[in-house]
Amino acid sequence: MEKQKGFVLISVLVITTITTMLALAQIKEIRLQERIGGNQQKEINARLAAERGVFDAFAYIKEQNAANTSNAEIEIELKKSSFSEDKDYSFSSVSIDATSNTFTLISMGKVNGAVAYLKTQIESVESSSVFDDALVTCSELDLKGTFDVDSYNGEKKGKYSETKNEFGEGNGNVTVMNNGASIGGSAIIDGTLTASGEIYGATKTNVTGGTKPETTSALGDCDPLDIANSMPTFSGSLSDFPSGGVFEASTAPETLDILDESRNVYVFHDLDLSNESIEINGDVTLYLTGDLKTFKTDFSLVGDSTLTIFVEGTTYIKTNSDILSDNFANNGKAPLAIYSSNTTDDAVYIQGNAEMYMKLYAPLGTVSMNGGTKIMGSVRAGELDVVGTSAIHYDEGLGDNGGSGEAASVAYNSVYYHYEGTGDTGA
């Protein structure tokens, strides 16, 4: 009996030891599972932080895109992002393909030592205006003689100055929509020359921003406003223009739909302004079923007034006309805009020491600049014919002004997890 009691005790001790070992093993397994679960939770939190980075980047790009901030400026600001007390992500890589307007970002989330990466591509198309460039032509461009194209920022620095070191912005860009371009003589483009065909004669000296020859297709719609169909067919009574002073009194305005907008418009046939001093008071719109002629004519504005002229016939701006040459775009408003639906070689003819501020839209005909013509603003022409010494000084404020270019847009192209050193994977 005593031996039997001793055997039971040993059995109990063995069973207790085995049970204890199993319990310890189970505890170890539980601890391992807890550690695995904790690490997985950290990884999940790190991935969520990386996702927050992508979502915040998208929201920032969309906000800045709507505010007309350039993609280059957005890229600079995104690169400044870093970890802070209220932010558990940063961007380990930010780049942009200017050709496709696509940002490529790697968002790095970091939580309690865990790190996760999310890679995304976001396409940000900047809003565009039909007056984004100093000069746009629809057919082949041949620049020669003394012809300068440069730029200035009127809203920041005031009226244009001949002192390039003071006002030159290097954004006097020129685009040829449906053909090639050549540049020679003393012609200088202080900006980029882009053409849908071959470019000849361009050097770093005469085209400071370089060239972008595109030999495959046209660069876009030459007449995005569809100007011929956007101007009404009107044959109202012919009226004499009031002599000097403001546009009022003797001519009653008509209500017309032009460029998808209802306007109060003073309608004339041929309008001949010679040796006049014209003062513009308010936002004034003129519609001419015939020709516009100016000769030794001075225009002035009252406050932030503007003048918009739609012309079916020929626009003649002749010797010594000074038309708002000291002005610039202000708060998105251009002092003078001329829209021409003329399809002939004589659509717009500017001659002899005429100086003016205007945004000129004449994509269906020829714009001729002869003598010492100087335009502050922007020109879009079907064809440009330049003789003698002429210049276009682009006001960059027109980039946010002037009609239906391309609307700003932001969209995801791809989002997927990124593993440093092992390539990309994910969905």
Side-chain angles (χ1 to χ4, degrees):
M1 294 293 293
E2 291 178 356
K3 289 182 180 180
Q4 289 177 348
K5 289 180 180 179
F7 180 77
V8 170
L9 179 61
I10 292 172
S11 299
V12 169
L13 290 174
V14 170
I15 293 172
T16 302
T17 300
I18 294 172
T19 304
T20 301
M21 292 176 65
L22 290 173
L24 291 174
Q26 189 65 33
I27 291 172
K28 185 176 181 181
E29 178 67 19
I30 291 172
R31 287 180 176 176
L32 178 61
Q33 293 298 326
E34 286 180 346
R35 183 176 297 175
I36 292 173
N39 289 337
Q40 287 178 336
Q41 185 61 50
K42 291 177 183 178
E43 290 178 0
I44 291 172
N45 289 339
R47 288 186 176 187
L48 291 174
E51 288 180 4
R52 277 193 294 275
V54 169
F55 297 150
D56 287 354
F58 183 88
Y60 178 77
I61 292 171
K62 185 174 183 180
E63 175 189 8
Q64 296 302 311
N65 178 279
N68 293 318
T69 304
S70 70
N71 284 339
E73 293 175 287
I74 295 174
E75 179 187 16
I76 291 172
E77 291 302 316
L78 286 174
K79 286 182 175 179
K80 294 179 181 178
S81 176
S82 60
F83 293 108
S84 62
E85 292 182 0
D86 60 345
K87 188 167 62 175
D88 48 12
Y89 68 82
S90 69
F91 300 113
S92 62
S93 175
V94 178
S95 62
I96 183 170
D97 183 340
T99 302
S100 63
N101 296 307
T102 300
F103 286 92
T104 300
L105 304 97
I106 298 177
S107 174
M108 179 175 67
K110 181 187 284 188
V111 177
N112 294 326
V115 178
Y117 298 90
L118 200 65
K119 189 171 184 177
T120 183
Q121 290 186 321
I122 300 173
E123 182 180 358
S124 174
V125 178
E126 301 176 47
S127 62
S128 63
S129 161
V130 295
F131 301 106
D132 268 343
D133 291 340
L135 171 64
V136 175
T137 66
C138 302
S139 61
E140 185 177 4
L141 179 65
D142 184 9
L143 294 181
K144 51 191 175 184
T146 303
F147 183 76
D148 289 341
V149 182
D150 58 13
S151 65
Y152 71 110
N153 193 315
E155 284 192 305
K156 292 182 179 179
K157 299 180 179 179
K159 69 178 183 179
Y160 179 78
S161 169
E162 295 290 346
T163 308
K164 283 192 174 184
N165 290 336
E166 182 180 358
F167 287 96
E169 301 290 326
N171 293 312
N173 300 326
V174 175
T175 299
V176 184
M177 304 295 285
N178 301 322
N179 214 314
S182 62
I183 181 169
S186 300
I188 295 177
I189 297 173
D190 188 18
T192 302
L193 173 58
T194 304
S196 63
E198 297 291 344
I199 296 176
Y200 300 98
T203 66
K204 191 65 177 177
T205 300
N206 58 24
V207 183
T208 64
T211 61
K212 294 181 180 179
E214 305 286 345
T215 58
T216 56
S217 62
L219 296 176
D221 188 354
C222 190
D223 180 19
L225 299 184
D226 190 16
I227 192 65
N229 293 319
S230 298
M231 292 171 63
T233 301
F234 186 86
S235 56
S237 60
L238 306 184
S239 302
D240 291 329
F241 193 82
S243 179
V246 296
F247 295 94
E248 58 181 8
S250 61
T251 305
E254 304 280 344
T255 300
L256 299 177
D257 289 330
I258 305 178
L259 295 179
D260 298 324
E261 180 182 347
S262 181
R263 302 169 181 249
N264 290 325
V265 181
Y266 295 93
V267 180
F268 303 91
H269 185 55
D270 292 334
L271 190 56
D272 190 347
L273 303 176
S274 298
N275 299 297
E276 293 276 5
S277 294
I278 307 298
E279 184 180 75
I280 311 299
N281 191 357
D283 294 327
V284 177
T285 300
L286 308 181
Y287 190 95
L288 279 66
T289 61
D291 300 337
L292 170 65
K293 298 178 182 179
T294 72
F295 175 70
K296 294 184 178 180
T297 305
D298 293 335
F299 285 78
S300 61
L301 302 176
V302 176
D304 61 351
S305 299
T306 63
L307 175 60
T308 303
I309 306 176
F310 295 89
V311 185
E312 291 183 14
T314 297
T315 300
Y316 297 97
I317 301 173
K318 295 188 176 181
T319 304
N320 296 327
S321 290
D322 186 349
I323 305 176
L324 309 175
S325 61
D326 288 342
N327 287 266
F328 48 86
N330 188 17
N331 295 323
K333 298 174 67 175
L336 173 63
I338 296 180
Y339 296 86
S340 171
S341 61
N342 192 304
T343 60
T344 71
D345 292 339
D346 295 320
V348 180
Y349 187 82
I350 309 171
Q351 177 185 11
N353 299 319
E355 294 190 15
M356 70 211 70
Y357 184 103
M358 70 172 171
K359 60 178 189 181
L360 173 61
Y361 187 88
L364 306 179
T366 298
V367 175
S368 299
M369 299 176 64
N370 297 308
T373 300
K374 295 179 182 178
I375 295 177
M376 277 60 73
S378 177
V379 174
R380 180 180 282 255
E383 183 176 348
L384 182 70
D385 182 16
V386 179
V387 177
T389 302
S390 297
I392 297 175
H393 309 300
Y394 176 60
D395 183 356
E396 295 182 10
L398 294 177
D400 300 326
N401 174 283
S404 55
E406 188 171 12
S409 65
V410 179
Y412 287 109
N413 281 353
S414 64
V415 180
Y416 49 91
Y417 290 114
H418 174 76
Y419 298 94
E420 292 289 292
T422 60
D424 296 333
T425 186

